[in-house]
Amino acid sequence: MKRSLTVIATAVALLLAGCGSGTGGSSGSGTTATAGTTTTAGAAGGDALDGNITVFAAASLKDTFTEIGKSFEAAHPGTTVGFSFAGSSTLVAQITAGAPADVFASANTANMDKLVKAGDASGASVDFATNVLEIATPPGNPKGVESFADLANPAIKTVVCAPQVPCGAATTMIEKATGTTIPAVSEELQVTDVLGKVISGEADAGLVYVTDVKGVGRKVTGVMFPESSKAVNTYPIVAVKGSHAPGTAAAFLAYVRSPAGEKVLRAAGFGAP
């Protein structure tokens, strides 16, 4: 009888010990499986992440986000950040049509509002940068463009962004505020295409962002104008609903707004939000 009681007591003790060592305890970091991706708990706080994300970002962010993406990957081994750069309006249309995106960064709040209204944003967006327009001309400014008003001259072949694109909306806003009408020879769907036509010599002038002029160096000559302050574009960023790696997406958002991300943005000429 004593031997039987001893065996039973031992078995109960072993069973209780096994239950106490399960994953339900509050101590230790553990791992959490989310949408098929295993992410170390507390990853957003600086621990390891494991997941690949695709960031849909405005064309004017190409150089800065490419650099930020590489730094993010270095800080979080095991992650991969892919990008799709285009006009913000184009990107919103793609996401709402079902394109697989984890993060969306817009060059203005209007296109971010479209994504939110469509129900494709996960959480609230946050502003991370600002930008203003600048006139870009071929090197040396051969047509002698000195002001925004000069672009009303039909003898100056000017290229602008289409109105639905953030840089185009800013152009329209300044035109209305100054009573100036630009007889543009072309309207492009992304600011990099405007810049490309100036660099190639197809245009005498183009309205782009100050960051675009700074980014290409001596390939163009920049002409700043005070009226640009009438249309300051604010850049918001948000995680996209249905992301297959929400932890990594959230960490990327935090990294863009971290001192490391801000340093890259400020160096490129972006202003604070």
Side-chain angles (χ1 to χ4, degrees):
M1 177 67 73
K2 291 181 179 180
R3 184 178 296 112
S4 297
L5 291 174
T6 299
V7 171
I8 292 172
T10 301
V12 171
L14 290 172
L15 179 60
L16 291 174
C19 292
S21 62
T23 58
S26 59
S27 62
S29 62
T31 58
T32 303
T34 304
T37 300
T38 302
T39 305
T40 303
D47 295 333
L49 292 171
D50 181 14
N52 303 329
I53 60 172
T54 300
V55 178
F56 278 39
S60 54
L61 293 167
K62 185 174 182 178
D63 291 341
T64 51
F65 264 38
T66 298
E67 183 176 347
I68 288 174
K70 291 179 180 178
S71 297
F72 178 82
E73 291 174 346
H76 301 287
T79 64
T80 300
V81 183
F83 293 97
S84 178
F85 297 102
S88 298
S89 59
T90 299
L91 296 175
V92 170
Q94 291 174 348
I95 294 173
T96 55
D102 301 284
V103 175
F104 173 56
S106 175
N108 68 351
T109 55
N111 281 290
M112 179 60 73
D113 290 343
K114 292 179 183 178
L115 187 81
V116 173
K117 186 176 181 179
D120 289 313
S122 177
S125 64
V126 291
D127 300 333
F128 66 93
T130 56
N131 215 347
V132 294
L133 297 181
E134 182 173 356
I135 301 169
T137 73
N141 192 2
K143 288 290 185 176
V145 178
E146 298 180 352
S147 67
F148 185 80
D150 286 346
L151 302 182
N153 184 350
I156 297 175
K157 294 186 295 183
T158 302
V159 178
V160 300
C161 291
Q164 68 268 31
V165 183
C167 57
T171 298
T172 300
M173 190 178 299
I174 298 173
E175 284 183 295
K176 290 180 178 179
T178 61
T180 303
T181 300
I182 300 174
V185 297
S186 177
E187 294 183 345
E188 305 299 325
L189 289 176
Q190 55 187 30
V191 69
T192 49
D193 290 341
V194 175
L195 192 65
K197 289 199 170 186
V198 175
I199 292 174
S200 68
E202 295 179 61
D204 300 320
L207 278 166
V208 298
Y209 294 113
V210 295
T211 52
D212 297 309
V213 174
K214 185 172 183 178
V216 296
R218 297 181 179 179
K219 292 182 179 180
V220 300
T221 293
V223 179
M224 301 185 73
F225 56 98
E227 296 90 344
S228 64
S229 62
K230 297 182 181 297
V232 178
N233 279 15
T234 297
Y235 286 57
I237 189 170
V238 74
V240 177
K241 184 178 291 185
S243 168
H244 71 286
T248 305
F252 182 80
L253 261 69
Y255 194 83
V256 169
R257 300 181 71 239
S258 72
E262 289 181 353
K263 181 179 180 181
V264 175
L265 290 163
R266 302 299 170 265
F270 287 95

